Amino acid sequence: QVQLVESGGGLVQTVGSLRLSCAASGRTFSSYAVGWFRQGPGKEREVVATISWTGGSTYYADSVKGRFTISRENAQNTVYLQMNSLKPEDTAVYYCAARFSSITYSNPSQYPYWGQGTQVTVSS
């Protein structure tokens, strides 16, 4: 089992940047695929990016390609989401999620472990 804690959210202006962190407990975090998801007001939870347990495979939603970068430091039990060129439509609660797997999934229902979320607000 793994516990996840997100941090790094906040209020930023359009075209600004933020870096989210997802800190995990557990000695086998390197065996978990991780995803970042978000849920905006009145919207369903959607995938933002995912990363395989080695970091060698990543996936990005079309809406964030070229602007967001997911990475991980297994020695630090941490996954990051660097968000650049932020837009008001990126405003949401951002969650990290983990699955004991070598394969990543874009469907949030495939992830059993979730953090509490961190709010990102982008003002125009």
Side-chain angles (χ1 to χ4, degrees):
Q1 190 167 349
V2 63
Q3 294 181 326
L4 306 172
V5 178
E6 303 96 335
S7 62
L11 174 64
V12 64
Q13 292 185 331
T14 300
V15 307
S17 297
L18 284 173
R19 188 176 79 158
L20 305 184
S21 299
C22 173
S25 63
R27 293 176 294 176
T28 61
F29 182 63
S30 59
S31 298
Y32 286 76
V34 175
W36 281 100
F37 298 82
R38 67 186 181 186
Q39 188 164 14
K43 297 182 180 180
E44 293 187 352
R45 193 167 297 188
E46 62 178 3
V47 66
V48 175
T50 64
I51 189 165
S52 62
W53 59 6
T54 64
S57 177
T58 57
Y59 165 86
Y60 295 94
D62 287 343
S63 59
V64 306
K65 279 182 182 176
R67 300 188 298 124
F68 291 10
T69 303
I70 190 171
S71 61
R72 67 190 297 162
E73 292 280 353
N74 285 337
Q76 303 294 327
N77 278 9
T78 304
V79 173
Y80 302 99
L81 185 69
Q82 178 66 44
M83 306 186 296
N84 298 328
S85 301
L86 283 161
K87 305 175 181 180
E89 50 264 44
D90 294 318
T91 294
V93 178
Y94 283 70
Y95 302 88
C96 68
R99 175 187 172 97
F100 185 75
S101 173
S102 62
I103 303 173
T104 62
Y105 298 85
S106 59
N107 189 333
S109 68
Q110 298 294 328
Y111 291 80
Y113 305 109
W114 290 81
Q116 82 289 349
T118 186
Q119 177 71 47
V120 172
T121 303
V122 184
S123 64
S124 57

